[in-house]
């Protein structure tokens, strides 16, 4: 038992050392992307029910550092703000499959073939899903918001700040009046705060699960465990697909699991299926899409991901030599061999990553407890918020309601505090449920 624990911990440390430097680099790029290209600006490229909007949505979604849970409210918010159903489906399909952070991490453990395959597959499936939605779902998209709707000149409101909102008096962030506060402060500091506090905490749970599960598979299963499925062709791919669809794992957290599966004998095509379907499909996503955009959009969404996963999995096995892919997977080599980076950099990156996870956990809770006001606020219980994008989505959508002046969302306490001159709880409940959360009433 002691030997098992030692081997397991060594495996966790090895996986962490291999992935940490590239994950940190990816997080930095994600932070810069967030600062220079905020999400509210993408709606203008997603408003038409045509191929161009589908292409735009897929292109915009690929580098976006959104975790599996964060993409749901973000995509639905785009739809509510005027994005077409086709563009929204394209965004929801392509975004969770990959991101600028997971691309670097994929290169670190799976090599450049998979680092190229993942964004290409995400891009193609996103476009196909958007085009099919435009063809098959004829419902009109949600009416775009009037950029001047809800705007009121209030000198007192100009000086206020809210939780995830800027505190400006305009109720629509897409109009641009919220941008000024975001530009304050050092760009690098804002990028690093988003990367190592907000984004890292968003993916922390599934990143840790990915490392722990991958290490367990590596230690428990023999090296040729999945070799028995070789030659099964599409059946092997369907087995992996069936296991991947209900999972709720982020694009980055799926990487160490895929690396170990490959080491144990899974075909490259089946591993690609896991990397696609694991992050892109889960029960929560399906429920929200069905309730918000209708069953037809949901069927197109699922059909595109399932069909795309099977097709690209088969094409990968048929067209790309397995030796080419396996030769670039770091983990299939003995420890200490085929190191892309010096050991000191790997270890220091691991320390920085673990330190950031711990610091961000306590910092986030301390800041939320310090900033959220408790006076003259309507306190609501809202379940399902799991990341900073969830908080921002709830805040952004509720601020658009007439009579709502301030909103403070806290995922740690599952609480939303609302202040305004005219608060309609029925409208608030409708909005919260539409974007994928569960309204539980006043506290």
């Amino acid at each position: 038992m002691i030997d098992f624990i030692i081997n397991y911990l060594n495996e966790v440390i090895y996986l962490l050392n291999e992935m940490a430097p590239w994950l940190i680099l990816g997080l930095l790029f994600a932070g810069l992307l967030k600062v220079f290209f905020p999400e509210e600006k993408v709606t203008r490229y997603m408003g038409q029910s045509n191929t161009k909007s589908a292409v735009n949505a897929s292109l915009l979604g690929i580098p976006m550092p959104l975790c599996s849970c964060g993409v749901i409210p973000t995509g639905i918010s785009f739809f509510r703000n005027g994005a077409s159903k086709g563009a929204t489906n394209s965004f929801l399909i392509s975004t969770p499959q990959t991101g600028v952070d997971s691309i670097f991490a994929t290169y670190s453990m799976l090599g450049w073939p998979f680092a190229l395959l993942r964004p290409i597959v995400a891009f193609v499936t996103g476009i196909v899903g958007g085009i099919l939605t435009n063809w098959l779902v004829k419902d009109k998209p949600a009416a775009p918001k009037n950029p001047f709707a809800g705007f009121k000149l209030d000198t007192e409101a100009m000086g206020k700040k809210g939780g995830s909102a800027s505190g400006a008096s305009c109720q629509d962030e897409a109009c641009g009046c919220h941008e000024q506060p975001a530009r304050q402060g050092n760009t690098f500091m804002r990028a690093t705060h988003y990367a190592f506090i907000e984004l890292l905490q968003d993916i922390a749970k599934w990143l840790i699960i990915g490392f722990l599960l991958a290490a367990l598979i590596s230690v428990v299963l023999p090296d040729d465990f999945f070799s028995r499925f070789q030659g099964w062709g599409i059946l092997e791919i369907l087995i992996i697909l069936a296991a991947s669809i209900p999972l709720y794992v982020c694009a980055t957290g799926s990487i160490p699991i895929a690396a170990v599966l490959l080491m144990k004998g899974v075909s490259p095509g089946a591993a690609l299926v896991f990397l696609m379907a694991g992050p892109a499909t889960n029960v929560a996503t399906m429920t929200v899409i069905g309730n918000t955009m209708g069953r037809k959009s949901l069927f197109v969404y699922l059909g595109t991901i399932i069909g795309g996963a099977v097709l690209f999995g088969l094409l990968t096995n048929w067209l790309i030599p397995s030796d080419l892919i396996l030769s670039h997977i770091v983990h299939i080599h003995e420890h200490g061999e085929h190191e892309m980076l010096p050991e000191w950099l790997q270890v220091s990156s691991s320390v920085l990553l673990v330190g950031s996870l711990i610091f961000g956990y306590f910092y986030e809770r301390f800041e939320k407890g310090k900033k959220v006001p408790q006076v003259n606020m309507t306190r609501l219980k809202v379940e399902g918020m799991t990341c900073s994008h969830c908080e921002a989505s709830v805040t952004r959508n509720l601020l658009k309601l007439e009579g709502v002046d301030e909103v403070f969302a806290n995922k740690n306490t599952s609480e939303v505090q609302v202040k305004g001159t005219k608060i309609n709880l029925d409208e608030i409940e409708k909005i919260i449920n539409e974007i994928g959360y569960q309204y539980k009433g006043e506290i």
Side-chain angles (χ1 to χ4, degrees):
M1 185 64 183
I2 295 178
D3 289 340
F4 173 82
I5 294 175
I6 292 174
N7 290 336
Y8 178 75
L9 292 177
N10 286 335
E11 198 67 23
V12 171
I13 293 171
Y14 176 76
L15 289 168
L16 180 62
N17 287 340
E18 290 291 342
M19 196 167 168
W22 300 96
L23 183 54
I24 288 174
L25 183 60
L27 288 170
L28 286 172
F29 272 89
L32 293 173
L33 179 67
K34 174 70 174 181
V35 170
F36 290 108
F37 197 72
E39 294 163 20
E40 58 265 20
K41 290 188 177 295
V42 308
T43 306
R44 70 186 67 173
Y45 300 106
M46 299 167 58
Q48 302 298 319
S49 297
N50 54 29
T51 301
K52 183 179 179 180
S53 287
V55 173
N56 288 339
S58 192
L59 278 173
L60 291 167
I62 287 173
M64 269 202 171
L66 289 176
C67 60
S68 302
C69 58
V71 71
I72 305 171
T74 303
I76 298 304
S77 293
F78 289 157
F79 173 67
R80 289 175 53 80
N81 284 305
S84 67
K85 288 185 177 180
T88 303
N89 246 357
S90 179
F91 181 84
L92 290 171
I93 291 169
S94 63
T95 305
Q97 292 187 54
T98 187
V100 66
D101 54 325
S102 66
I103 291 173
F104 281 98
T106 300
Y107 174 75
S108 71
M109 297 204 73
L110 302 177
W112 65 263
F114 265 107
L116 288 177
L117 271 176
R118 293 190 77 182
I120 291 173
V121 170
F123 178 62
V124 173
T125 52
I127 293 175
V128 171
I131 292 175
L132 289 176
T133 304
N134 289 335
W135 284 350
L136 300 176
V137 184
K138 301 301 182 183
D139 297 340
K140 293 181 180 180
K145 298 286 184 181
N146 183 343
F148 298 103
F151 185 84
K152 51 187 177 182
L153 186 59
D154 186 344
T155 55
E156 291 185 5
M158 291 294 185
K160 293 185 292 185
K161 283 193 176 181
S164 296
S166 65
S169 53
C170 175
Q171 303 298 310
D172 193 346
E173 288 190 6
C175 74
C177 67
H178 288 269
E179 294 174 16
Q180 186 60 33
R183 292 196 184 104
Q184 295 174 355
N186 182 275
T187 299
F188 180 77
M189 292 301 295
R190 287 188 286 119
T192 53
H193 181 276
Y194 174 78
F196 293 102
I197 301 294
E198 296 182 41
L199 177 58
L200 188 55
Q201 288 303 308
D202 287 349
I203 68 173
K205 175 183 176 181
W206 292 108
L207 186 62
I208 293 171
I209 290 176
F211 277 124
L212 297 179
L213 184 57
L216 183 63
I217 294 172
S218 180
V219 172
V220 172
L221 299 184
D223 290 345
D224 60 348
F225 180 82
F226 287 102
S227 298
R228 69 191 70 181
F229 297 114
Q230 289 183 356
W232 286 30
I234 192 172
L235 186 57
E236 178 201 19
I237 286 176
L238 292 176
I239 292 172
I240 298 295
L241 179 65
S244 303
I245 287 178
L247 289 180
Y248 199 69
V249 59
C250 69
T252 305
S254 65
I255 296 168
I257 301 175
V260 174
L261 289 176
L262 282 163
M263 184 187 70
K264 300 299 181 181
V266 166
S267 68
L272 180 63
V273 168
F274 174 77
L275 291 170
M276 285 181 62
T281 59
N282 55 72
V283 176
T285 305
M286 290 182 249
T287 302
V288 174
I289 293 175
N291 290 338
T292 305
M293 298 197 299
R295 292 183 179 179
K296 288 183 179 180
S297 295
L298 174 60
F299 291 152
V300 173
Y301 171 85
L302 287 175
T304 302
I305 293 175
I306 293 172
V310 172
L311 176 61
F312 280 101
L314 291 173
L315 288 176
T316 298
N317 286 339
W318 291 342
L319 302 179
I320 303 177
S322 296
D323 291 343
L324 173 64
I325 292 178
L326 296 176
S327 65
H328 289 86
I329 298 175
V330 172
H331 194 69
I332 68 169
H333 299 271
E334 293 297 327
H335 294 191
E337 297 180 13
H338 195 68
E339 301 288 351
M340 288 190 293
L341 297 171
E343 184 177 1
W344 68 266
L345 180 58
Q346 292 181 323
V347 173
S348 59
S349 298
S350 296
V351 172
L352 175 60
L353 183 63
V354 173
S356 298
L357 284 168
I358 297 172
F359 173 79
Y361 177 84
F362 291 104
Y363 174 85
E364 195 176 57
R365 279 153 181 77
F366 173 76
E367 287 296 309
K368 291 281 172 57
K370 183 177 67 174
K371 289 184 178 180
V372 176
Q374 303 291 334
V375 181
N376 299 324
M377 302 287 282
T378 300
R379 300 173 62 201
L380 309 172
K381 186 74 171 180
V382 177
E383 296 181 352
M385 297 185 295
T386 58
C387 66
S388 61
H389 294 286
C390 297
E391 295 174 334
S393 180
V394 170
T395 301
R396 182 170 59 246
N397 282 280
L398 292 186
L399 277 174
K400 291 168 185 171
L401 292 176
E402 184 179 356
V404 174
D405 298 322
E406 293 182 84
V407 178
F408 298 85
N410 190 332
K411 70 179 188 295
N412 301 321
T413 60
S414 298
E415 184 177 331
V416 175
Q417 299 188 28
V418 182
K419 183 177 182 180
T421 56
K422 182 182 178 183
I423 297 176
N424 188 325
L425 293 181
D426 291 334
E427 284 293 324
I428 289 176
E429 179 180 5
K430 179 182 177 182
I431 293 294
I432 288 175
N433 290 334
E434 278 184 354
I435 60 177
Y437 306 103
Q438 297 84 49
Y439 176 86
K440 299 298 182 180
E442 287 191 74
I443 299 176

